[in-house]
Structures are given as C-alpha cells and as structure tokens.
C-alpha cells in the first residue's frame, strides 16, 4: 500500500479520520497499555571490556529482583574489523563471548559471531542473589558483578509500555522470543522525541512510511519530560515506549503486523505509516 502525501487531500483521509476517532472512543486509554521492562545495558569497548548501566545511565551494583531486558552492544560490528597483525584483545578477537550467570539465569551471546553489534536478551533475577557477567575472551578482566535486593520490584523506566525483546540479522528469527520462530527480524528503527516534544521515526536516516511486517528493534531517544513515544496498530492496543516524564534512551523489539500504524506522544497528534504483509 502506498502512502498518500499529506499535502494531497482526498475523501479517503476524511473517512480515515472518522474511523480513527471512533477507534479512540471504543478503546479505553487505560486498557491500551502494556508494561515495559527495565533494561540493563552491557556497553562494550574496543578493547573487549564492558560496563553495565541502567536506564538512567548509572553503573549497576544492586537492583530489585524481577525481569529485565539485557541489551548487549559493541561500538561497531566487530567481525568487520581487519585484525591482521593484531594479537591483543582489540574487538574481542572478532567477536564477544558474553556470559551472565547466577541463580535462575544462564545467558550467553556472541552477537552472531561478531556479525551483529547489538542483541536484546531477557532475564528474571531472583531476590537476595549475586550475578556475574563476563566476557570469556578474558574472563578475569572483562568481569562485573551485581546483586539483587531481598525484596522490591523493578521500576519501569517509562511507566506503561512495550512488548517482546530480541535481535539478529535481517531475515533471521529470534530465539529469545516465545513463538518467534515465525517472526523474521527486519531491522532497526530510530525514534526520537526532541526537547520541544517533536517526534520522528526513521530507518537508515529516512522517515518511515512503508515497512514490511516482522520484528523491529526500536531505539527511542527521548529528550522531553513533557512528551513520550508510543505506537499503535489501527484498532489494536497502544504500546508506549517512553512515557510522559521519562527522559533517556529505551530499546524494545516489537512485532509489527500488517496494517495501518501510528506513532505519537500519548494524548498528542498521530503520525501514520503502513506495514505490508
């Protein structure tokens, strides 16, 4: 389906406006939300060490027990680096060997042997426990530990929000997602909310207009405390990626099914794009 430029006024858009208005009335605002998982960011350096930070950008030492996203990322795709004549730990010798272990958790990734620069995992951390993260290329050097409190629950960085997690190369499926064997990973989308509250959604630097159905990783950079970023399929529940009052970066992978979609700040003007089967 081809998107009609906004400058062209046709009866179709008049009808569409009526349909959208009706949908907004029929779907209660309180029911059109999901809960967002907090994220732990594993940020690698070029010398194969890493730091683990939370949604606020603070180094992680103790967290509340519960389920979190684990976002592992490298500065660039390590497999693309020519390591001829280099014998140190530059680019982790072509790929990371990240491992996170502890009570109830045993996660590992090589970022597809270095062919990817990021991946989303998830873990359910038990109360009053200690967890260890290592890169097995140099486990005694690239190592971090953190603990969980005896009680409490994770605080969502955005309030209500998103659905599943996952990552991979174009056309692959995501093993971290339940039932994702039939959902191909399509790519990465960049979402922004500037300080004035203006929203944008781009892919490879170009505004999103038409996408192919599948799994997409949204990276939202929100610089406004008065706006947020949400997406919604026509006549379906909304997914809030960053809520009003949140400032920072949040990452979530979402299965975009065929149909008419919008992105908007909760309560604000909607911007449309099409997802084709």
């Amino acid at each position: 389906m081809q998107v009609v430029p906004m400058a062209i006024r046709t009866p179709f858009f008049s009808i569409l406006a009526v349909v959208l208005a009706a949908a907004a009335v029929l779907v209660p605002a309180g029911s059109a939300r999901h809960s967002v998982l907090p994220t732990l960011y594993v940020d690698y350096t070029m010398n194969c060490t890493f730091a683990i930070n939370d949604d606020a950008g603070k180094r992680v030492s103790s967290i509340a027990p519960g389920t979190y996203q684990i976002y592992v990322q490298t500065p660039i795709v390590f497999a693309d680096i020519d390591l001829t004549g280099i014998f140190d730990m530059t680019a982790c010798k072509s790929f990371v060997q990240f491992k996170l272990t502890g009570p109830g958790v045993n996660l590992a990734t090589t970022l597809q042997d270095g062919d990817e620069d990021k991946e989303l995992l998830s873990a359910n951390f038990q109360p009053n426990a200690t967890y260890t993260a290592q890169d097995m290329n140099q486990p005694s050097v690239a190592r971090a530990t953190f603990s969980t409190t005896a009680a409490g629950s994770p605080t969502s960085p955005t309030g209500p929000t998103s659905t599943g997690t996952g990552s991979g190369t174009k056309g692959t499926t995501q093993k971290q997602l339940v039932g994702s064997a039939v959902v191909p990973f399509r790519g990465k989308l960049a979402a922004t909310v500037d300080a004035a509250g203006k929203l944008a959604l781009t892919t490879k630097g170009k505004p999103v207009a038409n996408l192919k159905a599948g799994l997409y990783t949204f990276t939202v950079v929100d610089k406004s405390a008065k706006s947020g970023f949400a997406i919604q399929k026509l006549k379906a529940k909304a997914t809030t990626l960053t809520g009003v009052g949140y400032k920072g970066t949040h990452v979530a992978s979402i299965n975009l099914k065929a149909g008419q979609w919008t992105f908007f700040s909760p309560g604000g003007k909607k911007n449309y794009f099409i997802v084709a089967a």
Side-chain angles (χ1 to χ4, degrees):
M1 178 177 178
Q2 184 177 5
V3 175
V4 180
M6 295 301 292
I8 300 176
R9 303 293 181 180
T10 68
F12 168 79
F13 280 95
S14 297
I15 296 172
L16 179 61
V18 173
V19 173
L20 290 173
V25 171
L26 293 174
V27 180
S31 66
R33 305 273 177 108
H34 302 276
S35 62
V36 168
L37 294 177
T39 303
L40 302 183
Y41 298 87
V42 181
D43 298 315
Y44 268 83
T45 66
M46 289 301 295
N47 65 356
C48 201
T49 60
F50 61 81
I52 303 179
N53 301 305
D54 61 17
D55 282 297
K58 297 180 179 179
R59 190 68 56 90
V60 170
S61 59
S62 179
I63 60 174
T67 302
Y68 290 75
Q69 294 182 134
I70 313 299
Y71 185 53
V72 183
Q73 59 183 340
T74 55
I76 59 176
V77 175
F78 278 178
D80 289 345
I81 299 175
D82 183 1
L83 296 175
T84 303
I86 299 176
F87 305 103
D88 59 16
M89 292 308 302
T90 297
C92 292
K93 296 184 176 180
S94 288
F95 60 89
V96 307
Q97 296 186 52
F98 178 77
K99 190 171 184 178
L100 177 61
T101 58
V105 174
N106 188 7
L107 297 179
T109 181
T110 64
L111 297 185
Q112 298 194 22
D113 292 341
D115 288 333
E116 267 290 339
D117 61 356
K118 56 180 65 68
E119 185 169 355
L120 269 171
L121 308 170
S122 66
N124 184 20
F125 297 111
Q126 303 301 308
N128 200 26
T130 298
Y131 293 87
T132 300
Q134 295 173 286
D135 188 288
M136 304 313 291
N137 285 295
Q138 48 177 357
S140 62
V141 176
R143 186 175 187 274
T145 61
F146 59 90
S147 61
T148 54
T149 55
S153 58
T155 301
S156 170
T158 63
T161 286
S162 82
T163 57
T165 63
S167 176
T169 348
K170 184 177 181 180
T172 63
T173 57
Q174 309 312 303
K175 295 182 181 179
Q176 290 75 31
L177 289 174
V178 175
S180 67
V182 295
V183 182
F185 181 74
R186 297 300 186 189
K188 306 164 189 175
L189 304 177
T192 58
V193 183
D194 68 18
K198 183 179 179 181
L199 276 61
L201 181 63
T202 61
T203 176
K204 297 180 180 179
K206 297 181 179 179
V208 167
N210 295 277
L211 295 173
K212 192 171 183 179
L215 188 70
Y216 290 84
T217 297
F218 285 70
T219 300
V220 186
V221 178
D222 190 336
K223 298 181 179 180
S224 172
K226 297 182 179 181
S227 299
F229 193 97
I231 65 169
Q232 182 178 16
K233 186 176 183 293
L234 185 63
K235 297 184 180 180
K237 292 182 179 181
T239 295
T240 304
L241 298 182
T242 61
V244 175
Y246 173 79
K247 292 176 68 176
T249 300
H250 185 69
V251 180
S253 290
I254 299 173
N255 180 16
L256 298 182
K257 297 181 179 180
Q260 176 85 46
W261 286 77
T262 60
F263 65 91
F264 55 94
S265 178
K269 178 183 176 182
K270 295 187 175 182
N271 304 275
Y272 302 95
F273 63 95
I274 298 296
V275 176

